[in-house]
Amino acid sequence: GLKIATIGGGSSYTPELIEGFIKRMDVLPVKDLYLVDIPEGQEKLNIVTAFAKRMVEKAGADLRIHATTDREEALKDADFVTTQFRAGLLDSRIRDEHIPLRYHKIGQETTGAGGFANALRSVPVALDIAHDMERLCPNAWLINFANPSGLLTEAVLNHTNIRAIGLCNCPINMINDMSQKFSCSADDLFLDFVGINHLIWAQKVLLHGKDVTAEAIEKICDASSKEIMANIPEVHYSPEFLRSLGMIPVSYLKYYYLQPQMLEECLADSKSKGVRGEVVKSVESELFTLYQDTDLKEKPEQLARRGGARYSDAACSLIDSIYNNKKDIQVVNVMNSGCNLDLPENAVIERNCVIDSNGAHPIQIGHTPLKIRGLLQNVKVYEQLTIQAAIYGDRDAALQALTIHPLVNSAETARLMLNDILSENQAFLPNF
Ligand code: NAD
Ligand code: G6P
Ligand code: MN
Ligand code: MN
């Protein structure tokens, strides 16, 4: 049987993962699942573990759940390691989202200045985990969910010897949304994705192999088409814009294409209900109250209020296809290696890949359309400078990264925000 270690096991999302493994018990024989957390997360870990055990028992699954704060015990001889840690905990996310707003910039935990601060804290943690894996389970796969997901995967692949694949639930949610819009099954569709994590476009939509991209765009132009990610404000593009783009943009692209409107939404929300991290705090406390009900033995529907809904479909399908050498196609974060000719070879991209027991093999893209190339290259360069800043404590790289980010675009604002970010995160930045 398989041994899996999940780092950040106290997450309120963990029941999704458990459900995913239970569903696949006949094809994916997971024997031991280690939920790993830090002492600060012990209380959440205990609640989630007790609930997970009830889920497993009810399903009659032959899966042993272990809770530990000893990462080494969990990593030793593991087959797969999944990561869902939040470096600095939710309070750091709330700070990440507030700091940019003070300067009239978008506060978001994965893109812009908020995502930058999150990256500075998270890169050292991801590298630590991968270095432990080099000693304790050198052949294991690292399946990363922690954000910023693509950036962390790139840091691990370029700076350790561990085989890593990054995940996001956005592609699956986009496919599901389209299947509802076309009243078909998700398997009938193929969305041809190009880009990087939280910055992807579906260049083409195929239904039973037939190009229906133009119809798909009309469907998202429709005023009744709703925002699909629970964590992103409901703001709409003009049909003119979407038709001229000719592709389906991931929800996160609204922060770039509709920057002023999204900033207004973020500012208004921060005054009325708090930044997203503050909203999540109350959703989370509600979830943990539910999880403590000993009658609860299945994932509650309230979990859908978190933005990460369906993430376990991505994680468990990926593990299934690697373990069973399935050679099916999934959208994951992998090394570019010449797939996208407009991005560096050593950049991580989010792309449709064939998944087999040797990992994820991206389907060749070639060049990208001119209309998306500049933004894509700009944000990738920002990511590469940010990785350099995080690993080497390089303040010059940090300032340049933040300055060129399209959601900042100002040397002076970047300088002031960087001072705030570094001073408010001192405890979490060992390299600075
Ligand atoms: P959370 O705040 O519940 O954190 C999860 C757990 O990580 C907590 O119990 C915390 O104690 C623990 N933790 C913090 N530092 C740790 C460390 N060094 N080692 C081990 N555990 C540690 O977070 P969440 O809202 O459940 O999200 C978890 C992560 O997953 C975040 O990084 C989030 O951005 C990410 N996420 C990604 C996607 C995606 O699409 N890639 C979807 C959902 C969530
Ligand atoms: C989406 C993104 C994730 C992100 C999450 C935030 O699912 O793909 O990368 O972590 O939303 O959701 P939250 O409920 O934490 O705001
Ligand atoms: Mn994501
Ligand atoms: Mn506040």
Side-chain angles (χ1 to χ4, degrees), residues 135-380:
R135 279 186 300 117
L136 299 162
C137 53
N139 298 316
W141 289 94
L142 175 59
I143 312 290
N144 176 64
F145 245 101
N147 272 315
S149 182
L151 185 154
L152 295 186
T153 305
E154 183 168 317
V156 168
L157 286 174
N158 284 327
H159 296 273
T160 78
N161 294 317
I162 290 302
R163 304 188 288 185
I165 299 176
L167 285 179
C168 177
N169 63 339
C170 287
I172 285 193
N173 279 289
M174 290 170 75
I175 296 166
N176 270 308
D177 178 57
M178 275 301 153
S179 75
Q180 281 167 23
K181 288 184 161 68
F182 280 97
S183 309
C184 66
S185 123
D187 297 336
D188 299 334
L189 286 171
F190 181 79
L191 273 65
D192 179 10
F193 288 103
V194 55
I196 60 180
N197 181 232
H198 289 188
L199 201 95
I200 47 164
W201 295 260
Q203 296 195 85
K204 275 206 161 40
V205 179
L206 305 182
L207 173 59
H208 297 125
K210 178 176 163 258
D211 189 339
V212 292
T213 314
E215 286 163 73
I217 289 166
E218 290 312 310
K219 289 182 193 294
I220 59 165
C221 286
D222 188 325
S224 66
S225 173
K226 287 262 175 297
E227 171 51 53
I228 56 180
M229 303 305 288
N231 58 311
I232 297 188
E234 185 80 51
V235 169
H236 293 273
Y237 291 111
S238 68
E240 290 90 324
F241 173 76
L242 288 172
R243 288 175 190 138
S244 71
L245 179 62
M247 305 180 201
I248 314 291
V250 71
S251 299
Y252 284 85
L253 276 159
K254 293 200 288 191
Y255 290 111
Y256 299 85
Y257 288 136
L258 298 172
Q259 194 176 331
Q261 295 94 313
M262 291 296 273
L263 173 61
E264 287 316 312
E265 287 292 320
C266 291
L267 283 166
D269 284 351
S270 80
K271 285 176 192 129
S272 60
K273 54 184 177 188
V275 293
R276 177 69 188 167
E278 289 168 311
V279 173
V280 164
K281 209 168 206 178
S282 68
V283 174
E284 193 178 85
S285 80
E286 205 181 300
L287 286 170
F288 276 95
T289 303
L290 284 169
Y291 293 175
Q292 287 175 79
D293 175 355
T294 49
D295 290 334
L296 187 74
K297 293 174 174 132
E298 278 173 51
K299 181 188 84 179
E301 62 177 32
Q302 284 91 333
L303 189 49
R305 286 167 58 202
R306 296 297 308 273
R310 292 209 183 83
Y311 92 109
S312 79
D313 279 341
C316 299
S317 311
L318 177 62
I319 294 172
D320 178 10
S321 293
I322 293 174
Y323 177 72
N324 290 307
N325 195 23
K326 274 175 101 169
K327 304 185 202 309
D328 60 338
I329 294 175
Q330 299 184 28
V331 184
V332 298
N333 285 265
V334 284
M335 201 44 105
N336 181 25
S337 309
C339 167
N340 183 330
L341 296 176
D342 299 316
L343 291 176
E345 301 247 328
N346 69 345
V348 160
I349 60 170
E350 192 163 281
R351 172 65 178 155
N352 311 70
C353 295
V354 177
I355 315 292
D356 66 17
S357 52
N358 289 314
H361 314 282
I363 298 171
Q364 187 66 21
I365 293 172
H367 284 288
T368 48
L370 214 43
K371 52 194 163 188
I372 65 170
R373 192 181 301 168
L375 179 55
L376 185 53
Q377 291 176 331
N378 185 162
V379 177
K380 179 47 78 179

Side-chain angles (χ1 to χ4, degrees), residues 23-72:
K23 271 199 262 176
R24 290 169 181 79
M25 223 58 233
D26 49 338
V27 287
L28 194 62
V30 184
K31 263 271 161 327
D32 293 283
L33 176 63
Y34 281 75
L35 300 177
V36 186
D37 216 292
I38 50 176
E40 295 93 312
Q42 184 80 61
E43 207 185 316
K44 285 168 66 181
L45 180 64
N46 291 345
I47 296 169
V48 166
T49 303
F51 176 32
K53 286 182 174 167
R54 292 196 302 275
M55 290 178 73
V56 166
E57 198 193 343
K58 176 168 186 205
D62 184 19
L63 166 61
R64 282 191 300 252
I65 313 263
H66 312 261
T68 182
T69 52
D70 178 358
R71 191 161 84 196
E72 306 229 340

